[in-house]
Amino acid sequence: MAVAEAQLYAKVSNKLRGRSTSALLEPLLAKGFPAHIAQKALVATGQKTIEDAVKWLHSHCNDPSLDDPIPQEYALYLCPTGRLHGRLQDFWKESKRQCGRNRAHEVFPHITLCDFFTCEDQKVELLYDILKRVGDSFSQSFPPSISLTLHASPSYLGFFVDDSQANILKEFAATFSSEASALADCHVKPSLKQFHLTLAHRFSPHHQKTLEQLAKCINPGEPCQWVAALYSRDMRFVHYQRLRALFQYKPQNIDELMINAGDLIYVEPRQQNEAGEGWVIGTSHRTGCRGFLPENYTEKAHESDTWVRHREYVFDPASRSFTKTGKEPIVRQDGEAHNLTMSRSVTSVLSLQNPALRRGVLVMRHGERVDQVFGKSWLQQCLTADGKYYRADLNFPSSLPRQKDSMKQFECDPPLSCCGIFQSRLIGEALLEQEVTVSCVYSSPALRCVQTAQHVLQGLKLNQKVRIRVEPGLFEWTKWEANRAIPNFMTAAELVEASYDIDTSYRGNFPLSSLVPSESYEDYVSRSSAVIKQIISACPSKGRGVILIVGHGSSLASLTRALTGLPSRDSGAFAQTVRKIPSLGMCFCEEQKEENKWQMVNPPVKTLTHGANAAFNWRNTIMED
C-alpha cells in the first residue's frame, strides 16, 4: 500500500456507534448489500433515492476500493441563486472565453462557510439534521440581502461581504461547526478568512484589466436567494486532475479503461510517466476502475464536477424551507450557464471588443506523420529491392517528393500520411467555413509542416494566393531529434519543384546553420521567443488577417507563452505539456489593440479527433482455425 494511502487509512475511525438504520439503508440491506458498502453508496449519491444507490453499486461492482473505509470530505458553502447567479455565470463564461481558465473556474460561485472536513458514512445524516436545525435558528436573523463590494489585485478578483453581515454568516458557520463536531464526531472548522465570493484567482496579471471590466458589469444588488449547501468529495483524489470523456472507448487490452461519453476521470500527473504518447492513466469516477485511456478522447473538467451535493438550507424571507432532494440544481457544478441571456452590460463591453478588428495568430501542430503510424522503419517497408518507393499501405503517401540526396533522408524528415493530408485539408475547409482570413503563413522547415501548411491553404482555397514562408527558427527543440543531428531538409527549390507554394523571396530569421543538435532548453525557449517576435513585427499591424504558423507540438507551448507574456515552464513540465498535444492541435492568440498585448482565446475551429485503425490481414484473421 502506498504511503499516502496508508496515511488516509490511519485517519479513519474504526469505532462504529450504534444508531437506527435509515429508511434508505433498510431496503439496501434487504437486497443483501453489506451495511458499510450500502452506506458508502448512499453517501456517494447524496442519499437521494434507493435507485441512485443501487445504480452506483452496480457501476462499482469491480471497484477495487469498494471495501475501503475511507470517508468522504464535506464542506458547507453559501451559494447565490436567481438573477445574481445568472450574472455570475455570464461572467464565468465570458472570462473563460477571453482570458482562459483560472482557478476560480474550478468551482461554482460560492462563499465558503466551513472548510472541508471528514465525516464517517454512518454519521452523515446527523449533518443533515444539524444543518436544518441551525438554519431554522438563524432564519430570522439572516440578512435579507448581502452587500458585496468588488476587490481587485494582480492575482485575485472577487466580492467581499460587508462586515456586519459577515459577522452573522460567521456566527452561523461557527454554530454549525460546533454542533457537527460534537454530535457527528467530526473535526469541523469554520472559515477564518474574510468572507468573499471569488470571481477570478491565479490568473495572468495582464488579464487583470479585462477581468475587472467584465466584473464591473455585474450588479451585486441583483435579486438573490442564498442557499447553505453541503457538498462532498472523494478525499483520495483531491490533488488529481479531472478529465471528461468526449467519446466512448472500448478497451483493446486488459489494462485499458472502459469509458462512456460524459464519464469523469481522475488523473494523477506524477503517474503519467508510465503511459505512452497520447495515453493517460486514470481512475473512473463512475466505476472506480483504473487503466489506460486515449487522452484525445477527453477534455479538461472542473474540480467540482466530481463533487456530490447533499442537503441544503434555503434562506427565504417569505418561506423558510429545507430542501432534501434538490431535484432542480440550484448551482451548476460545471461552471457553465444553460439558457442564460447575457446581461446588457456585459454585451455592451463585448461589442466594444470586435475581434474582426484584431490580428490573430493561429499556431498549429502538423498533421499525422507516417512514422507515427508505421514506426521509424516505415521507409524500409516501402522500398523495393532496387530502392524504388511503392505504397505498402493505403495510409502511405502515393509518392514522395524528389530530393537531390538519397530517399533515406526521409527517415529523419518524414512526410505526412494520407490521413495527415486529409486532416490538414479538413482543417482548412473548417477555417474557410468560419470565414477565417489567413494573411501570412509560416512553416517549420520539416516536410510534414510544409505539407500541412500547403493542404490547409488548399482547404482555405488560398493556395497560390498566399505563399508559405519557411522559417528554420520554428523547428522543434533539437534535443528531441533521435539521431542527434539536424535533418537534411528539402531546399526551397526542391519544394517548389514538388509543387508546394513556397515564398522563395523569404529569408528566414534563423538560418539552418544556426540550428545546433541537442540545444539546451533555455536556448530553445530563447529561439522561440525571438522568432515569434520577428514574425509579428514582419506582418502588418493594420491587417485584419490571421497569421498561421505550422510547427510542432512544442511550438504551441513555446510560441504562445512568449507571445502572451507568460513565463516559460521548466523543461519537465514543458515535456509533459507537449506530450498531450495531438496532430493538428491548435492555439489561438488575439491582439488587444488598446493594450498592444496578446491573449489566448479559443481557436476558430475545434481539433479533429479520430480513433486508431489497426492493420488487417484477412488470411490470418478470417481463415485461421
Side-chain angles (χ1 to χ4, degrees):
M1 182 185 297
V3 175
E5 291 179 348
Q7 291 173 346
L8 285 177
Y9 277 89
K11 295 179 181 178
V12 178
S13 171
N14 292 320
K15 297 181 295 180
L16 301 179
R17 299 184 181 180
R19 54 189 303 263
S20 60
T21 57
S22 69
L24 291 177
L25 181 59
E26 288 177 351
L28 295 177
L29 297 178
K31 291 178 182 289
F33 294 110
H36 68 290
I37 291 180
Q39 286 171 333
K40 176 175 283 194
L42 289 171
V43 166
T45 55
Q47 297 215 29
K48 292 182 174 63
T49 66
I50 297 170
E51 290 74 16
D52 289 342
V54 170
K55 183 179 178 181
W56 186 91
L57 287 164
H58 287 160
S59 296
H60 285 257
C61 61
N62 295 317
D63 183 348
S65 66
L66 194 58
D67 285 311
D68 288 355
I70 299 176
Q72 295 280 300
E73 283 188 323
Y74 297 82
L76 184 63
Y77 286 166
L78 187 67
C79 304
T81 66
R83 287 172 58 181
L84 177 58
H85 177 252
R87 298 297 176 257
L88 292 168
Q89 292 288 48
D90 288 343
F91 173 86
W92 245 250
K93 185 175 182 179
E94 194 56 32
S95 65
K96 187 190 296 184
R97 189 191 74 82
Q98 291 198 36
C99 304
R101 288 168 61 128
N102 62 67
R103 189 69 181 88
H105 288 121
E106 294 297 320
V107 185
F108 42 81
H110 70 279
I111 296 171
T112 302
L113 298 177
C114 297
D115 297 325
F116 275 101
F117 60 92
T118 59
C119 180
E120 295 176 32
D121 293 344
Q122 70 274 13
K123 298 175 183 175
V124 172
E125 283 196 57
L126 288 172
L127 297 180
Y128 304 164
D129 297 339
I130 293 166
L131 177 58
K132 184 180 187 306
R133 185 167 58 253
V134 176
D136 285 343
S137 66
F138 277 83
S139 61
Q140 299 304 317
S141 60
F142 193 87
S145 63
I146 296 179
S147 299
L148 301 171
T149 304
L150 186 64
H151 172 79
S153 73
S155 62
Y156 176 84
L157 183 70
F159 288 118
F160 280 68
V161 180
D162 177 78
D163 286 344
S164 61
Q165 296 172 337
N167 290 335
I168 298 175
L169 301 184
K170 289 180 179 179
E171 188 179 349
F172 170 79
T175 304
F176 174 85
S177 301
S178 176
E179 292 202 19
S181 299
L183 300 178
D185 199 20
C186 305
H187 182 58
V188 187
K189 292 176 60 178
S191 178
L192 300 177
K193 298 179 181 178
Q194 184 177 359
F195 276 13
H196 59 276
L197 191 154
T198 299
L199 296 175
H201 182 39
R202 295 184 189 174
F203 50 84
S204 178
H206 71 269
H207 286 148
Q208 181 181 353
K209 185 176 179 180
T210 301
L211 292 169
E212 283 188 52
Q213 286 179 333
L214 292 173
K216 289 175 182 177
C217 298
I218 303 172
N219 176 13
E222 290 274 14
C224 174
Q225 196 173 61
W226 291 89
V227 176
L230 272 172
Y231 287 88
S232 71
R233 67 184 183 185
D234 194 322
M235 62 190 298
R236 296 172 300 167
F237 304 111
V238 169
H239 300 296
Y240 282 50
Q241 294 177 350
R242 289 145 183 91
L243 302 177
R244 178 182 286 102
L246 297 170
F247 314 100
Q248 184 185 60
Y249 179 75
K250 295 182 178 180
Q252 308 296 312
N253 298 291
I254 195 171
D255 59 352
E256 294 175 4
L257 183 65
M258 170 70 185
I259 56 173
N260 293 328
D263 280 1
L264 293 162
I265 314 296
Y266 297 108
V267 172
E268 166 56 83
R270 292 173 296 183
Q271 296 175 352
Q272 299 315 306
N273 291 334
E274 305 171 32
E277 183 177 358
W279 293 79
V280 293
I281 305 173
T283 301
S284 170
H285 174 70
R286 179 176 60 86
T287 66
C289 297
R290 185 173 182 269
F292 293 90
L293 66 148
E295 189 171 20
N296 65 350
Y297 275 48
T298 66
E299 65 179 359
K300 284 187 177 180
H302 298 130
E303 178 182 337
S304 60
D305 290 347
T306 55
W307 293 1
V308 177
R309 192 181 70 205
H310 292 257
R311 300 299 187 265
E312 57 190 26
Y313 191 94
V314 180
F315 290 99
D316 184 359
S319 174
R320 309 298 180 181
S321 60
F322 178 72
T323 306
K324 183 174 182 180
T325 57
K327 293 182 180 178
E328 293 296 328
I330 291 182
V331 179
R332 276 291 307 275
Q333 293 189 15
D334 57 7
E336 297 290 346
H338 271 228
N339 299 321
L340 290 174
T341 303
M342 186 74 73
S343 66
R344 292 181 183 178
S345 53
V346 173
T347 305
S348 64
V349 170
L350 301 181
S351 64
L352 297 175
Q353 300 174 349
N354 185 354
L357 301 177
R358 306 184 217 161
R359 283 191 298 174
V361 174
L362 180 61
V363 184
M364 181 185 302
R365 188 190 179 191
H366 56 77
E368 180 184 88
R369 46 195 270 188
V370 289
D371 60 333
Q372 184 180 335
V373 182
F374 300 104
K376 296 189 180 300
S377 61
W378 67 273
L379 191 58
Q380 298 173 19
Q381 304 171 41
C382 297
L383 293 180
T384 61
D386 57 354
K388 292 182 179 179
Y389 175 82
Y390 76 99
R391 199 177 190 180
D393 184 282
L394 284 179
N395 201 20
F396 282 108
S398 56
S399 62
L400 294 177
R402 285 171 32 177
Q403 279 200 82
K404 62 180 180 180
D405 296 320
S406 166
M407 273 200 299
K408 289 192 174 181
Q409 296 294 342
F410 288 119
E411 288 183 342
C412 300
D413 187 21
L416 295 179
S417 66
C418 271
C419 284
I421 292 171
F422 169 75
Q423 292 170 340
S424 304
R425 192 171 293 122
L426 193 63
I427 291 292
E429 292 170 355
L431 291 170
L432 178 64
E433 188 176 307
Q434 294 299 317
E435 300 181 351
V436 175
T437 303
V438 172
S439 57
C440 302
V441 179
Y442 290 82
S443 171
S444 160
L447 177 59
R448 56 193 180 274
C449 298
V450 175
Q451 289 180 316
T452 299
Q454 176 77 14
H455 292 290
V456 169
L457 287 175
Q458 287 180 1
L460 278 162
K461 298 183 179 179
L462 289 177
N463 49 310
Q464 298 183 349
K465 296 179 183 177
V466 178
R467 303 283 176 175
I468 301 168
R469 299 174 179 177
V470 178
E471 173 54 64
L474 291 173
F475 189 58
E476 65 184 344
W477 186 12
T478 61
K479 180 183 177 180
W480 287 342
E481 282 300 296
N483 60 355
R484 303 303 182 197
I486 304 301
N488 190 6
F489 301 115
M490 292 181 66
T491 65
E494 289 172 334
L495 291 169
V496 170
E497 185 182 352
S499 300
Y500 294 107
D501 298 314
I502 304 300
D503 184 350
T504 55
S505 66
Y506 177 74
R507 297 293 177 266
N509 296 297
F510 286 80
L512 280 172
S513 58
S514 68
L515 297 179
V516 296
S518 301
E519 69 185 324
S520 69
Y521 177 62
E522 290 73 20
D523 287 344
Y524 170 69
V525 169
S526 177
R527 167 163 63 92
S528 299
S529 178
V531 76
I532 188 62
K533 290 177 182 177
Q534 290 165 347
I535 287 175
I536 295 302
S537 64
C539 295
S541 59
K542 294 182 180 180
R544 298 185 182 183
V546 168
I547 304 168
L548 173 61
I549 299 176
V550 181
H552 307 266
S554 55
S555 306
L556 273 68
S558 61
L559 298 181
T560 57
R561 290 185 73 86
L563 183 60
T564 56
L566 295 174
S568 60
R569 294 189 173 97
D570 62 72
S571 58
F574 173 77
Q576 287 288 341
T577 299
V578 173
R579 185 182 58 81
K580 300 176 182 178
I581 298 173
S583 299
L584 289 169
M586 291 175 282
C587 286
F588 190 65
C589 298
E590 279 184 344
E591 186 178 27
Q592 302 301 292
K593 287 281 186 179
E594 68 279 12
E595 298 178 1
N596 194 26
K597 292 182 179 180
W598 295 79
Q599 70 175 14
M600 193 100 69
V601 297
N602 287 330
V605 298
K606 291 186 177 296
T607 302
L608 175 69
T609 303
H610 60 84
N613 197 47
F616 173 67
N617 185 310
W618 65 269
R619 188 181 302 279
N620 293 343
T621 305
I622 305 300
M623 302 300 293
E624 68 181 357
D625 295 329

